[in-house]
Amino acid sequence: RNSRDSQHIIASLDMEDGVATLTVPQSAQLTMEALVFSLCAILRARRVLREFSPIQKFGTEVYEPKDAGYLTDLASRAWELLEAGSLQSLTLVIFEEESGNVLERWNFVVQFAEPHSIDGKVSFDLHKQNTFQASVRHLLRQVTTAAEAMEPLPEKFESTTVVWDVLFHLLPHVERVDGIEACDSFPLVAESETLTFRPFSTDIHRISASSVTRT
């Protein structure tokens, strides 16, 4: 798929009677970018991935990995699922490779509201644009601050390597999608603490984020 960044999408929104309108595919890409850069912020702050390059997006500086192959594939899959309204949640799991013990879970729950208009669009005026970008910046600051305040994860934790994975959870009525597990095979975090972050929304897609970490 041809990808356009969030600034390009917002700058090229359709105009109807002088009001910008947002389609489901456009909302899916904006939401996908917010999700992916939230994951990058966490992975960078937790030092699970270390090689990042700064770029400008959402009116602020964000980071993308220098080796972006896996996250590029993840972003493409997330975009398709968001556009189809099939994604229930996305979870970043940080765990011990050998034992499988889960150290942290970062959860992003998705709510999809199909536009009621005949053409499948919602208004997305300047106020909503600014509110959306501000809410994404706020989420990035929240997850970054929370991740940096946590006890550092050493490269070796209890004689095992710390690794990560991203899980897609589909809505119950959605048929199984190739490459996505039907259930979460990772155990819950033992002796954990939960943090909930302020959500963001395009009025089509709404994301509520939280973290569950060892205490």
Side-chain angles (χ1 to χ4, degrees):
R1 305 184 64 159
N2 293 325
S3 178
R4 297 182 297 169
D5 64 30
S6 52
Q7 275 76 16
H8 191 114
I9 290 175
I10 289 176
S12 61
L13 292 177
D14 296 332
M15 297 294 294
E16 293 184 1
D17 298 326
V19 177
T21 59
L22 185 72
T23 65
V24 171
Q26 289 170 329
S27 173
Q29 178 152 355
L30 290 172
T31 305
M32 174 274 292
E33 289 188 354
L35 285 172
V36 168
F37 285 106
S38 294
L39 296 178
C40 289
I42 296 163
L43 292 170
R44 179 175 180 269
R46 300 306 288 138
R47 299 182 66 78
V48 181
L49 285 181
R50 309 224 174 176
E51 297 293 326
F52 286 87
S53 299
I55 61 172
Q56 289 294 317
K57 197 173 288 287
F58 304 117
T60 189
E61 186 174 79
V62 299
Y63 292 87
E64 62 180 7
K66 292 185 177 179
D67 180 8
Y70 175 81
L71 283 173
T72 299
D73 293 340
L74 182 152
S76 178
R77 178 58 59 87
W79 187 5
E80 293 175 0
L81 294 173
L82 287 164
E83 186 175 341
S86 303
L87 186 61
Q88 185 175 47
S89 65
L90 181 150
T91 302
L92 168 63
V93 183
I94 300 174
F95 60 100
E96 299 171 353
E97 185 174 30
E98 285 80 3
S99 68
N101 290 334
V102 176
L103 308 176
E104 301 175 8
R105 297 173 71 99
W106 297 79
N107 304 308
F108 299 84
V109 177
V110 180
Q111 291 177 291
F112 175 69
E114 183 108 33
H116 295 300
S117 61
I118 295 175
D119 55 8
K121 299 177 181 179
V122 297
S123 64
F124 202 68
D125 58 22
L126 180 61
H127 174 71
K128 285 186 180 178
Q129 295 174 31
N130 292 338
T131 299
F132 171 76
Q133 296 208 61
S135 65
V136 174
R137 290 196 299 270
H138 188 75
L139 174 64
L140 292 171
R141 284 196 299 270
Q142 287 182 92
V143 297
T144 300
T145 299
E148 289 177 343
M150 294 174 185
E151 193 72 22
L153 289 170
E155 292 184 13
K156 294 286 186 179
F157 185 90
E158 297 178 2
S159 301
T160 186
T161 304
V162 174
V163 292
W164 60 280
D165 199 0
V166 176
L167 310 175
F168 292 91
H169 307 272
L170 306 182
L171 291 169
H173 68 274
V174 177
E175 294 183 3
R176 180 166 178 159
V177 178
D178 290 341
I180 295 181
E181 295 297 328
C183 61
D184 184 350
S185 58
F186 287 91
L188 299 176
V189 182
E191 300 178 356
S192 60
E193 177 183 14
T194 300
L195 292 176
T196 301
F197 306 109
R198 184 182 298 177
F200 66 85
S201 173
T202 66
D203 286 348
I204 295 176
H205 295 92
R206 176 184 171 88
I207 304 295
S208 302
S210 64
S211 66
V212 182
T213 58
R214 278 189 176 184
T215 54

